[in-house]
Amino acid sequence: MQKRYALLNWQQGSGKTAAVYHRAKYLLKFHKVRNAVILAPAIATNMTWIPFLTINREKFRIVRSNADLETVPEDVFLILSTSMPVSYTHLRAHETK
């Protein structure tokens, strides 16, 4: 993958979470990205991503407001819900070149 983003539209139970997790870990390890952003429906963030990252002892932050983006350290997974009525315009300010 040469782009800085990806979209997986696989069927249920096909390994999307594990695939995204390992790709994100690779990008973080080799400093290709500062953070990994997981954008998913609320049910996926609450029932899949939060337990998955917790079990794997990963640093993550649940983004509920712009204030949650103010002091994000490197190598942290950012979890954003598509159903949260939040303006995510500050995300671009935190991108690395």
Side-chain angles (χ1 to χ4, degrees):
M1 296 174 72
Q2 295 182 8
K3 298 194 184 237
R4 295 179 53 127
Y5 55 87
L7 171 69
L8 289 181
N9 192 20
W10 299 350
Q11 292 185 5
Q12 182 178 354
S14 60
K16 293 181 295 292
T17 302
V20 169
Y21 172 73
H22 286 287
R23 178 66 180 163
K25 289 295 289 180
Y26 171 85
L27 293 171
L28 291 168
K29 179 180 178 180
F30 291 103
H31 305 289
K32 302 284 186 182
V33 296
R34 184 176 191 274
N35 299 95
V37 178
I38 307 298
L39 178 63
I43 193 164
T45 60
N46 294 323
M47 301 297 290
T48 303
W49 278 104
I50 293 170
F52 185 89
L53 293 173
T54 302
I55 289 168
N56 285 286
R57 297 184 177 133
E58 289 294 340
K59 297 178 286 184
F60 67 91
R61 180 175 290 186
I62 302 166
V63 178
R64 293 190 176 100
S65 70
N66 286 337
D68 294 329
L69 297 171
E70 293 301 320
T71 57
V72 178
E74 287 188 26
D75 299 329
V76 171
F77 283 80
L78 298 173
I79 301 176
L80 291 83
S81 172
T82 55
S83 59
M84 282 294 291
V86 174
S87 170
Y88 296 126
T89 56
H90 289 14
L91 278 179
R92 292 194 67 65
H94 297 285
E95 286 183 358
T96 58
K97 302 281 185 230

